[in-house]
Amino acid sequence: MRPRKSLESCGTGAGLGVLAAAGCSRRPRRACSTRPGAGLARPKEIQDEELQGFCSRIIKLLREDLGPAAVDALQRLFLIVWATKYPRRLDKTCVDLLQATLCLPTCPEQLQVLCAAILREMSPSDSLTLSCDRAPNTRQMSLVASVLLAQGDRRQEVRSVGQRIFTVLESRQPEGPSLRHLLPVLSKVVGLAPGTLQEDQTDLLSKRLVDWLRHASVQQGLPHSGGFFSTPRARQPGPITEVDGAVASDFFTVLSTGQHFTEDQWLNVQAFSMLRAWLLHKSPEGPSTLDTDDKSELEGSTLSVLSAASTATRLLPPRERLREAAFEYCQRLIEQSNRRALRKGDADLQKACLVEAILILDVLCRQDPSFLYRTLSCLKALHTRLGTDPGSERAVLPLAQFFLNHGEAAAVGSEAIYQHLLTRLPSEHFHNPMLAFEVIRFCRDNLPLFDLHLLGILKSSFPNLFKFLAWNSPPLTSEFVGLLPALVDAGTAVEMLHTLLDLPCLTAALHLQLRSSSSPSERLLWDASLRTPSCLEAFRDPQCQGLFQHLLRTKASGSAERLTLLHQLLQPMASCARVAQCAEAVPALLQAFFSAVIQSSRLLECWWLPLAAPRELNPGGAPGDRLVTAWLDAGWAAWASLQLSKTAPCLAGRLLQGEPQFAGRALTTQLALLLLERSDSLYQVPQYEARVQRVLSSQFLALCQRNPSLVVELARELLDFVGSVSNIHSRAGVFTSVVWAIGEYLSVTCDRRCTVEQINKFFEALEALLFEVTQSRPSADQPRCPPQVVTVLMTTLTKLASRSQDLIPRVSLFLSKMRTLAQGPASSSTHSEEDAEAIRIRATELLNLLKMPSVAQFVFTPSAEVCHPRYHRDTNMSLPLALRMVSRLVEKESSLLPG
């Protein structure tokens, strides 16, 4: 038997464990017909009249017999008040009896726990008259305090509970009341209202914590009851042992073992449970006795080591004594965690205590830098041990946090720890959901602390971090959406987009990796319902090793080829539930990726414009000019407003090196080409292709809006894209966006390199395409063309003709034919009545605009001034005014025609 690391969350008194001890389950159970209230309906269905009748029977039981019948009735009453969303109103007499029973000295503990649980479920309530002063012992005081804290401090209950507990603490009698039941409540009071404690009270608790941590007995406790056959020899306490069975050679800790434990040993366990929270109480950032200058001098001088050694020999204030005791306690825990535990429960407790010990050491070093140099050697050796200790991966995170907080002050290189964190943990423990969340949360929370070198390690490790995402996509999607802006870089953006699009493939590959593992524990994570021997054979085939190794890479290494072969090999895994879950998360991640690219581009351009003029005036100046540094400092507020302050150091480094753009024309062109290339080269998971194409089509328009000259730069590729009818049927959304972008941005206004020859080439290609899809009948090889594609093609042709007016007669004739075709009976075989009407209306509107070429050019190719919002709000000088004018003139002209 061993003491638990911490009790139930007794800040609210008796938790679920105490309720279970009282025989009360959180899940309603069927009542027995021989017990009181057996005829009651289900707890949620009980009406107030039936509840009041049941309370009357409970009142009778509490007044006459506090036996098993009362226990059963109170259990049912707890289930009734717990299972209802709104608070149940109980009879005042019943509430008063529950309070009286709770404070009754001779009442069985089981009944007291049930009474406290019922009163907590009713809180907040104005009918409670409880007070800690009425509790005859500390156990009942903890139950009363749990009810009072559940009231929500409406009458300063938190302060009164805290004052009463400190009154008990001040009693120095050796055989005084037990404090085991009060420490969890006190920890809750400190968390709820830290300002209620006075200085003498904090000093008192610090002194008591030092005593409990360092001076607990090293002998085991006596059994609770002897029994008839017990002998004095059998009742003699033995020494406390370590987890490996050896006799303890040092003071008692939470990792010490024994058959029975004394009161001070239980207090030792509880003191360690609340130690970190208490150290942070009233001193979250650092000691009040040291200012910033003194602290920095202390960190950088060898006098701190001498100071730490000398302070241990002289009388320290209570809070400093507690820090010293906490430091020694954590050092002993680290030493005990190196022992080989005999039981699995002890091994699990070792890992949990190791994590807590490192976190406490981090707090101590932040509050008092003199502990830093006494801690470094120990933690360096600990990291070496963690690298060879399977199952201790949770301790790597607090260790990395420690060196991130203190590595610069101690001038210690900690790259090996970060490599362990970002390389080994994702590769070997991607299937651990808690570890995955903690690693990603660590990266997000500490981005402001990462220097350029560490940020580079993080960015190059994104393929490894994506393993966490691929295996645990539902809970980690929102975390990665927040982390992506820091991972996106001009050097990794293209590879990251490939990785996001192939994320379901990575999930399938991780499945195969687990399946091929020789570890029985990892094989349990495999979906046994999947029968995919061909996938396993391909995974082990040397000819396919290169594909899978690239998919499971740990560092950024460029894009892969032979994607079609990879998708074919993994196609049997597309029905896996985890692969489908991952596929559902990809669209949101793609939105976050492109948003990060565009936002970073805008910010850098805003920063670079004021810097460009000084560099042009002084082209020979050093990149690290003071003006650059001053401007970076001044632009910090703008950066934070865009939630990109986490990557500011990296961007500042690019600016100082003379790189003017992050997502400039070169990267935008690469992403646009990749978007077109990958839009029909996706892993065939159900509904995955349609969802991703929807995102890619919208993001292609966003890239063109960000860089309007993109259409001119990619003229050859876009001509090839729109020249294939198959693209309409395989990726209609992307095709529609491309055609719309051609009509919107292929003009001299967007790019002065645009020529009439380019406009004519696109016009002829789109005209031929529209003729082919409208004149041919649907078949199995060539399905029906969506009406959205037809209307966008007509609109784009009209826009191009307005910019090259020699084309207006051709497009007018074509639109007239389209209007006639939409009205004819032949359209019923290709489009529905609603779709044909939409095509006819669009053709008519475009024809009317083309009758006045100058107005058509004004509408289809507006200048930057016309695009201002006031031209769309002011009815006297707006675009709607121009459209109304054209409509009236066209109507007037048509009315003058004969016949």
Side-chain angles (χ1 to χ4, degrees):
M1 177 182 177
R2 64 156 48 258
R4 298 180 185 272
K5 180 174 179 279
S6 62
L7 298 182
E8 286 288 336
S9 178
C10 260
T12 56
L16 294 181
V18 184
L19 288 177
C24 185
S25 171
R26 298 287 281 191
R27 177 177 297 176
R29 56 194 178 97
R30 190 183 303 274
C32 184
S33 59
T34 59
R35 295 180 178 178
L40 289 175
R42 296 177 60 184
K44 291 184 179 181
E45 301 173 356
I46 294 178
Q47 303 299 320
D48 290 340
E49 296 78 7
E50 190 177 4
L51 178 60
Q52 296 306 320
F54 184 55
C55 288
S56 300
R57 282 176 283 179
I58 290 179
I59 292 173
K60 183 178 179 182
L61 287 171
L62 292 180
R63 285 175 174 172
E64 296 178 358
D65 180 23
L66 298 179
V71 171
D72 183 77
L74 289 180
Q75 287 177 356
R76 293 185 54 79
L77 180 60
F78 170 75
L79 293 178
I80 292 171
V81 297
W82 171 79
T84 312
K85 293 182 179 179
Y86 57 90
R88 291 279 195 174
R89 292 185 178 181
L90 303 182
D91 184 78
K92 186 177 185 304
T93 305
C94 181
V95 175
D96 293 340
L97 272 176
L98 289 174
Q99 297 180 80
T101 304
L102 176 59
C103 298
L104 195 64
T106 59
C107 177
E109 181 181 359
Q110 190 178 21
L111 278 174
Q112 292 174 345
V113 171
L114 286 169
C115 290
I118 295 169
L119 293 173
R120 281 199 308 272
E121 290 294 333
M122 294 174 52
S123 299
S125 174
D126 295 327
S127 59
L128 294 182
T129 58
L130 283 174
S131 173
C132 288
D133 298 332
R134 295 170 52 187
N137 55 59
T138 56
R139 179 180 56 79
Q140 287 176 282
M141 187 187 299
S142 67
L143 295 175
V144 172
S146 71
V147 178
L148 293 176
L149 293 180
Q151 286 288 96
D153 204 24
R154 305 171 71 190
R155 303 171 184 171
Q156 294 189 340
E157 289 90 352
V158 177
R159 179 183 293 272
S160 63
V161 169
Q163 297 301 322
R164 177 58 182 158
I165 293 177
F166 273 100
T167 302
V168 178
L169 269 178
E170 290 172 355
S171 61
R172 296 179 175 273
Q173 292 81 2
E175 301 299 330
S178 171
L179 299 176
R180 283 176 56 186
H181 307 286
L182 297 184
L183 274 187
V185 181
L186 181 58
S187 178
K188 188 68 175 180
V189 169
V190 173
L192 290 175
T196 59
L197 302 184
Q198 302 175 2
E199 190 66 27
D200 57 339
Q201 292 175 335
T202 59
D203 291 343
L204 172 64
L205 183 56
S206 296
K207 292 177 182 178
R208 289 300 186 94
L209 288 174
V210 170
D211 293 338
W212 294 329
L213 289 172
R214 288 292 283 110
H215 303 119
S217 173
V218 292
Q219 296 292 320
Q220 297 186 36
L222 293 172
H224 296 293
S225 58
F228 180 77
F229 293 102
S230 61
T231 61
R233 180 181 296 274
R235 291 197 301 268
Q236 290 296 322
I240 289 294
T241 58
E242 304 287 359
V243 291
D244 58 357
V247 176
S249 58
D250 209 335
F251 59 90
F252 179 90
T253 70
V254 67
L255 286 178
S256 301
T257 60
Q259 293 297 321
H260 304 282
F261 296 95
T262 61
E263 182 69 20
D264 60 347
Q265 290 169 351
W266 282 109
L267 288 172
N268 178 284
V269 174
Q270 290 184 332
F272 177 69
S273 298
M274 65 177 295
L275 178 58
R276 181 156 56 101
W278 181 250
L279 288 172
L280 292 171
H281 171 63
K282 280 192 175 181
S283 183
E285 298 298 333
S288 58
T289 57
L290 291 174
D291 59 16
T292 306
D293 296 335
D294 294 339
K295 179 178 177 180
S296 61
E297 292 178 3
L298 193 58
E299 285 179 346
S301 64
T302 55
L303 294 177
S304 59
V305 182
L306 301 177
S307 173
S310 61
T311 53
T313 60
R314 66 173 185 264
L315 185 62
L316 295 172
R319 201 161 189 86
E320 300 299 324
R321 290 178 56 199
L322 177 60
R323 289 175 183 152
E324 193 67 34
F327 178 80
E328 295 174 358
Y329 197 99
C330 292
Q331 293 277 50
R332 170 136 168 78
L333 285 180
I334 293 175
E335 181 272 328
Q336 287 179 300
S337 67
N338 196 24
R339 297 176 178 269
R340 185 178 297 276
L342 301 179
R343 292 183 291 269
K344 183 181 183 300
D346 293 342
D348 295 338
L349 186 60
Q350 276 182 307
K351 300 168 187 173
C353 290
L354 182 60
V355 171
E356 184 68 13
I358 299 173
L359 292 174
I360 292 175
L361 289 175
D362 185 26
V363 173
L364 292 175
C365 292
R366 279 190 281 131
Q367 293 182 350
D368 188 350
S370 65
F371 289 108
L372 181 58
Y373 299 96
R374 302 161 62 185
T375 307
L376 287 175
S377 59
C378 171
L379 294 187
K380 285 182 183 178
L382 176 62
H383 176 251
T384 303
R385 176 163 60 88
L386 293 179
T388 59
D389 184 12
S392 60
E393 57 276 356
R394 291 284 299 277
V396 177
L397 280 164
L399 194 62
Q401 185 70 63
F402 180 91
F403 282 97
L404 189 62
N405 293 337
H406 309 287
E408 184 177 356
V412 175
S414 51
E415 183 174 350
I417 298 175
Y418 303 133
Q419 292 287 359
H420 186 181
L421 176 69
L422 299 174
T423 303
R424 288 186 55 185
L425 291 189
S427 295
E428 300 173 3
H429 305 283
F430 59 87
H431 46 74
N432 187 332
M434 182 59 69
L435 181 65
F437 178 81
E438 290 180 351
V439 171
I440 302 305
R441 199 66 183 175
F442 170 85
C443 296
R444 279 197 63 183
D445 294 344
N446 292 287
L447 280 174
L449 302 179
F450 288 176
D451 57 16
L452 286 174
H453 179 65
L454 185 53
L455 195 61
I457 296 177
L458 177 67
K459 291 182 177 182
S460 64
S461 302
F462 81 85
N464 219 24
L465 294 176
F466 276 18
K467 294 177 183 177
F468 282 141
L469 176 61
W471 193 263
N472 309 278
S473 54
L476 288 185
T477 300
S478 60
E479 297 296 322
F480 263 90
V481 167
L483 184 62
L484 271 178
L487 298 178
V488 175
D489 196 348
T492 60
V494 173
E495 182 179 355
M496 187 177 297
L497 181 55
H498 273 292
T499 307
L500 286 174
L501 293 173
D502 292 327
L503 202 61
C505 295
L506 177 58
T507 307
L510 292 174
H511 262 288
L512 296 175
Q513 182 180 354
L514 285 179
R515 186 65 170 175
S516 303
S517 173
S518 58
S519 173
S521 61
E522 292 183 352
R523 288 183 179 178
L524 295 176
L525 300 169
W526 168 259
D527 189 353
S529 63
L530 292 175
R531 305 296 181 185
T532 55
S534 60
C535 292
L536 283 172
E537 293 176 2
F539 186 78
R540 296 163 180 162
D541 189 352
Q543 295 182 354
C544 301
Q545 283 295 315
L547 285 174
F548 287 103
Q549 286 177 0
H550 176 80
L551 201 58
L552 298 171
R553 65 195 183 280
T554 60
K555 295 288 185 181
S557 59
S559 304
E561 299 179 355
R562 300 193 297 168
L563 289 176
T564 303
L565 175 60
L566 179 64
H567 296 165
Q568 292 174 354
L569 294 175
L570 294 176
Q571 191 55 44
M573 298 287 298
S575 60
C576 176
R578 196 178 293 273
V579 173
Q581 279 186 339
C582 178
E584 292 178 358
V586 172
L589 295 165
L590 288 173
Q591 294 277 12
F593 169 81
F594 283 105
S595 176
V597 170
I598 294 174
Q599 286 185 3
S600 301
S601 172
R602 289 173 180 169
L603 183 62
L604 270 173
E605 288 185 6
C606 291
W607 279 21
W608 183 256
L609 287 177
L611 294 175
R615 291 199 179 189
E616 290 177 1
L617 294 176
N618 185 17
D625 192 87
R626 294 180 181 178
L627 179 60
V628 178
T629 306
W631 178 254
L632 294 180
D633 294 337
W636 182 262
W639 184 262
S641 66
L642 289 175
Q643 299 180 355
L644 292 171
S645 59
K646 299 171 183 178
T647 55
C650 181
L651 293 173
R654 293 198 195 101
L655 285 173
L656 292 175
Q657 293 171 3
E659 183 181 344
Q661 294 180 352
F662 160 60
R665 293 181 178 178
L667 179 60
T668 306
T669 303
Q670 284 182 308
L671 293 178
L673 284 175
L674 177 59
L675 189 150
L676 297 177
E677 174 190 345
R678 291 299 310 270
S679 58
D680 70 338
S681 179
L682 299 171
Y683 189 35
Q684 296 301 310
V685 180
Q687 301 182 353
Y688 175 64
E689 188 175 39
R691 292 171 181 169
V692 171
Q693 286 181 356
R694 193 177 302 117
V695 176
L696 295 182
S697 61
S698 63
Q699 294 306 321
F700 181 82
L701 295 178
L703 291 176
C704 290
Q705 184 180 8
R706 182 67 193 141
N707 184 14
S709 61
L710 190 64
V711 175
V712 175
E713 294 174 356
L714 297 179
R716 182 187 306 172
E717 291 79 4
L718 295 181
L719 276 172
D720 294 338
F721 183 84
V722 299
S724 175
V725 181
S726 61
N727 289 331
I728 299 179
H729 309 297
S730 62
R731 36 185 168 174
V734 178
F735 186 88
T736 303
S737 297
V738 171
V739 173
W740 188 91
I742 292 171
E744 190 72 11
Y745 301 111
L746 188 63
S747 67
V748 181
T749 305
C750 297
D751 194 329
R752 295 190 177 276
R753 295 173 294 175
C754 178
T755 62
V756 176
E757 289 76 15
Q758 282 183 330
I759 295 177
N760 292 338
K761 285 182 179 179
F762 275 99
F763 182 89
E764 292 173 358
L766 295 177
E767 183 185 34
L769 180 68
L770 182 57
F771 179 84
E772 183 176 355
V773 298
T774 55
Q775 299 300 321
S776 59
R777 292 186 176 274
S779 62
D781 298 333
Q782 186 173 341
R784 178 179 67 90
C785 180
Q788 295 85 355
V789 176
V790 176
T791 54
V792 171
L793 280 169
M794 292 191 303
T795 305
T796 299
L797 287 173
T798 306
K799 291 179 179 180
L800 296 179
S802 68
R803 296 161 197 164
S804 179
Q805 297 190 3
D806 294 339
L807 302 174
I808 289 180
R810 292 174 58 180
V811 74
S812 298
L813 179 61
F814 198 94
L815 291 174
S816 299
K817 292 181 179 179
M818 288 298 304
R819 182 171 60 179
T820 304
L821 182 65
Q823 292 174 339
S827 64
S828 60
S829 62
T830 56
H831 299 290
S832 64
E833 183 178 351
E834 293 79 5
D835 295 341
E837 180 66 14
I839 294 173
R840 186 192 66 79
I841 293 174
R842 177 61 61 88
T844 303
E845 292 174 347
L846 296 175
L847 274 171
N848 290 339
L849 280 172
L850 287 177
K851 289 179 180 179
M852 303 189 70
S854 59
V855 177
Q857 187 173 6
F858 170 76
V859 173
F860 289 128
T861 313
S863 62
E865 182 181 357
V866 175
C867 292
H868 196 275
R870 70 186 181 91
Y871 280 91
H872 300 268
R873 290 195 295 259
D874 190 348
T875 58
N876 295 321
M877 50 182 302
S878 62
L879 185 60
L881 177 63
L883 293 176
R884 285 198 303 270
M885 180 181 65
V886 172
S887 299
R888 291 175 182 175
L889 290 175
V890 171
E891 290 172 2
K892 182 178 179 180
E893 181 181 351
S894 61
S895 64
L896 296 176
L897 293 177

